[in-house]
Amino acid sequence: MKVTILAVGRLRKSPELTLIEDYLDRFNKAGRSFGLGPAQVIEVEDKKNLGMEAEAALIERAIPAGAVLITLDERGDLISSPDFAQKLSDWRDQARDVCFVIG
């Protein structure tokens, strides 16, 4: 199962980018034995500052076809690590890709 993290904006060179690259590397190595990965990050950016509708269109075009879509928001539901692991397992068993969207 391929995992995509779709984010609005660019990280460029930053401490956060270093952390993300480290976690993606670890995920790709450890995930293989569980049928997870590869993981990739896709960044979209509204360079013309056309607003949220333009960002939504960019996001929609970047979502892999047929992927399970998970939108992340600070106001969203909180789930425990074991519950999240079970969800990943279920998606993997359905042979579907997963796309996490961070707006």
Side-chain angles (χ1 to χ4, degrees):
M1 176 182 72
K2 187 169 78 173
V3 176
T4 301
I5 300 169
L6 179 55
V8 174
R10 304 273 183 208
L11 284 171
R12 294 176 178 69
K13 297 289 182 193
S14 68
E16 290 85 4
L17 179 60
T18 303
L19 286 172
I20 290 169
E21 289 171 344
D22 179 53
Y23 278 107
L24 286 175
D25 183 54
R26 291 162 61 182
F27 177 84
N28 287 331
K29 289 176 183 171
R32 277 187 228 137
S33 63
F34 298 105
L36 300 173
Q40 66 173 347
V41 174
I42 298 175
E43 298 171 317
V44 296
E45 186 174 26
D46 175 19
K47 294 179 182 179
K48 297 178 183 177
N49 290 325
L50 298 176
M52 291 179 71
E53 286 184 26
E55 283 182 358
L58 291 169
I59 290 169
E60 197 171 343
R61 283 195 300 267
I63 296 170
V68 173
L69 182 62
I70 295 90
T71 53
L72 302 176
D73 185 281
E74 63 188 11
R75 297 163 297 200
D77 295 334
L78 295 176
I79 62 172
S80 67
S81 292
D83 288 344
F84 180 69
Q86 183 61 54
K87 286 185 179 290
L88 274 178
S89 175
D90 293 345
W91 295 324
R92 180 207 57 215
D93 293 345
Q94 296 170 10
R96 298 175 77 178
D97 294 339
V98 174
C99 181
F100 294 93
V101 178
I102 306 169

